[in-house]
Each structure stands twice: as structure tokens, then as C-alpha cells.
Amino acid sequence: MRIVVCIKQVPSTNKVQLHPETNTIIRDGRQSVTNPFDTYAIEEAVRVKEAVGGEVIALSMGIPETERLLRDAESRGVDRAVLLSDRNFAGADTLATSYTLSLGIRELFPVDLILCGKMAVDGDTAQIGPELAEQLGIPHVTDVSEIDSITETAIECKKETDHGYQHLKVKLPALLTVIKDINMPRMPSIKGVLDSQTAPFERKDAEKLDADFQRIGLTGSPTQVVKTFIPERMSEAVEIVGEAEEQAKKARNIINEVLKDGGVEY
Ligand SMILES: Cc1cc2nc3c(=O)[nH]c(=O)nc-3n(C[C@H](O)[C@H](O)[C@H](O)COP(=O)(O)OP(=O)(O)OC[C@H]3O[C@@H](n4cnc5c(N)ncnc54)[C@H](O)[C@@H]3O)c2cc1C
């Protein structure tokens, strides 16, 4: 079984730096870590390999420094890694990112299973998994908390929803995004760390991927960030107590006051 795990590099602090003119994210390889949700995807990919055999390939689109994180994945049981890196990929929104990742995955075909994190803690959209599955024309399941069973042709998994869980069976190849309940990621062994320094690692640029330059990077991104700002924090908080009807009346009065203060007639 060939499993691809998608890994994103994210800033190690919660301060995402934006370019003042283009409003795109400034990536600094020195201050970056593996997206936390992706550490669970790595662990799950390695567990599936250990259960049914095969290989795990880590894939990332990122700056050259992302190699460090891919090698870290290799120290945790990933067999080989591919980094899609090119200045032409810069400024990509989720559509351009998922297109680029889909090209990287197509180069690895035949692939049985693709694992992603639930979301990236900087971009936060949770769009890449589903978009990537669409680009590849395969089924996907988001927010997976458990893999129940896997055969050569299908996978059964438990998906978390707003109201509980669903058990779903999908045909392979498929893409899953995983949540942190799925496992407890392992620590790398000393041997793993040493081996990872010489483990197979490949870098691919847009030309090597035969990418359509109209679909990558800023050019291929229909989303344009017009403005970014930090929301103003309101320090005043009111606790509304009492029976439901009483609470509703109090809430309505507060809303009326706020609307009047803001010059809005209600
Ligand atoms: C207009 C615009 C401009 C942008 N400009 C830039 C820019 O200049 N530079 C920049 O770095 N970012 C930029 N971004 C952010 C970038 O588009 C997103 O970070 C990226 O598309 C992933 O989306 P996300 O972070 O919401 O990931 P999510 O969809 O939340 O991630 C879910 C999962 O997808 C996988 N995944 C996500 N991204 C990658 C990746 N790159 N490689 C491998 N797996 C991945 C991981 O498994 C992750 O857990 C821009 C976004 C927009 C909208």
C-alpha cells in the first residue's frame, strides 16, 4: 500500500508575519514547525504501513527549509519525502496550493491513501484536504478520529461531526483528514534520526512537475487578501442569568442599547 502524508510548515509562534504590500504570508524557515495536526497524520500513515505493509511518502509544498521537517517525518517512520519548492509557487491560495500538491501526488501514482491534518494552524481554512481530493477525483472523509479497517480496496473510518460520530466506508484511493484523537504520535528513535539524514529526499520545481503556470502561485490564486487586521478586543462582558425567557428579554434589551449607541434605530 502506498500512503502519502501531506505536511505543512507553520510558524512556531502564533504571530503570522504578512508582507505589508502583498498581504501574503512571510515564511521564515528558522521559526517553523510541522503543523500540529500533521504530526497525527504522519503517525497514522506509519501505523497503517506497519499493519498492512507498503511505504509512506511525505509531501510538502514549501520553502527549501521545509526539508528539515520532512527529514523529521522520516525519523518517525516515513520512508521517503518530496518537497515541492519553487519561487513560482509563492503567494498561492488554497486552490493553487491544492493544484500543486495534486501534481506532486500524480507523480507518485499509484497511490492508495492520502492523509492530511484536519487543518493548518496558520491558514486555518481546512480546505486543502477536500480540494486536493477533488483535484484528484477521489473520495474524501474529513475529521477522522479512527481507522476501523483497511483492505486493498476500501477503508472504514470514524468521523467526528458536530453532533457525534459517523462510521463511513470509502473506496480506495481516498483522502482522509485526521483530528488529534486518532493517535498519540511517537517520538523519533536515535536510529531514526540518524537514518533520516540520508533517507531518500527529492525536490521538485514547477517545471519538473510540468505545472500550468496560470494555476500556481499568486497568478493561479483567485483569492486576493485586500486587508488584514487584528480584531478589536471588547473588554466589557455581561453575564445574563435567569430563566430562558428572562434571559432572552435581557439579551434583547442589551442589543437594543448597543444598536442605539451605535446610532442604529431598532
Ligand atoms: C490570497 C492568499 C495568498 C496567500 N499567500 C501566501 C504566501 O505568499 N505564502 C504562503 O506560504 N502562503 C500563502 N497563503 C496561504 C496558503 O494559501 C495556505 O496556507 C495554503 O493554501 C494552505 O491552506 P491552509 O493553511 O488553510 O491549510 P488547511 O487547508 O487548513 O490545511 C489542511 C491540511 O492540508 C495539508 N496542507 C496544507 N498546506 C500544505 C502544504 N503547503 N504542503 C503540504 N500539505 C499541506 C496539511 O496536511 C494540512 O494539515 C495565501 C493564502 C491566500 C488566500
Side-chain angles (χ1 to χ4, degrees), residues 61 84-92 100 204-206 209 216-217:
M61 182 190 97
L84 312 180
S85 194
D86 191 317
R87 294 200 77 81
N88 290 300
F89 297 149
T100 308
K204 291 184 180 178
D205 59 15
L209 290 175
I216 59 171

Side-chain angles (χ1 to χ4, degrees), residues 88-100 131 135 212-224:
N88 290 300
F89 297 149
D93 67 4
T94 60
L95 189 66
T97 303
S98 58
Y99 166 68
T100 308
E131 282 183 10
Q135 304 255 18
D212 176 350
F213 279 70
Q214 294 304 309
R215 296 182 67 187
I216 59 171
L218 203 55
T219 316
S221 299
T223 320
Q224 297 296 323

Side-chain angles (χ1 to χ4, degrees), residues 24-158:
T24 54
I25 298 171
I26 300 170
R27 301 276 173 203
D28 181 346
R30 288 164 304 176
Q31 297 174 331
S32 62
V33 292
T34 299
N35 176 45
F37 286 104
D38 302 351
T39 61
Y40 298 91
I42 294 168
E43 175 65 26
E44 202 57 25
V46 174
R47 286 187 189 197
V48 172
K49 177 188 77 169
E50 286 168 350
V52 299
E55 66 166 345
V56 179
I57 307 161
L59 175 73
S60 187
M61 182 190 97
I63 56 176
E65 289 78 3
T66 310
E67 176 174 347
R68 182 173 57 80
L69 305 180
L70 290 169
R71 293 221 179 263
D72 178 70
E74 290 180 320
S75 75
R76 292 162 201 267
V78 165
D79 299 288
R80 58 186 173 112
V82 180
L83 173 61
L84 312 180
S85 194
D86 191 317
R87 294 200 77 81
N88 290 300
F89 297 149
D93 67 4
T94 60
L95 189 66
T97 303
S98 58
Y99 166 68
T100 308
L101 290 173
S102 75
L103 295 180
I105 290 174
R106 281 181 197 282
E107 294 246 315
L108 300 168
F109 273 4
V111 166
D112 303 287
L113 181 64
I114 301 163
L115 295 178
C116 291
K118 168 198 168 82
M119 65 177 194
V121 296
D122 57 350
D124 234 24
T125 67
Q127 290 172 5
I128 293 295
E131 282 183 10
L132 183 52
E134 283 301 309
Q135 304 255 18
L136 293 167
I138 59 171
H140 72 268
V141 183
T142 55
D143 299 335
V144 171
S145 64
E146 201 175 322
I147 292 178
D148 298 320
S149 69
I150 183 161
T151 66
E152 274 181 15
T153 52
I155 188 163
E156 280 188 61
C157 57
K158 185 175 164 189

Side-chain angles (χ1 to χ4, degrees), residues 193-210:
V193 174
L194 292 174
D195 288 351
S196 71
Q197 299 312 307
T198 51
F201 176 86
E202 227 184 316
R203 188 173 299 173
K204 291 184 180 178
D205 59 15
E207 228 163 86
K208 227 178 187 178
L209 290 175
D210 203 13

Side-chain angles (χ1 to χ4, degrees), residues 149-175:
S149 69
I150 183 161
T151 66
E152 274 181 15
T153 52
I155 188 163
E156 280 188 61
C157 57
K158 185 175 164 189
K159 170 191 164 69
E160 191 183 63
T161 70
D162 287 345
H163 309 289
Y165 293 96
Q166 287 175 339
H167 284 273
L168 299 165
K169 184 175 183 179
V170 285
K171 278 188 189 156
L172 295 178
L175 182 148

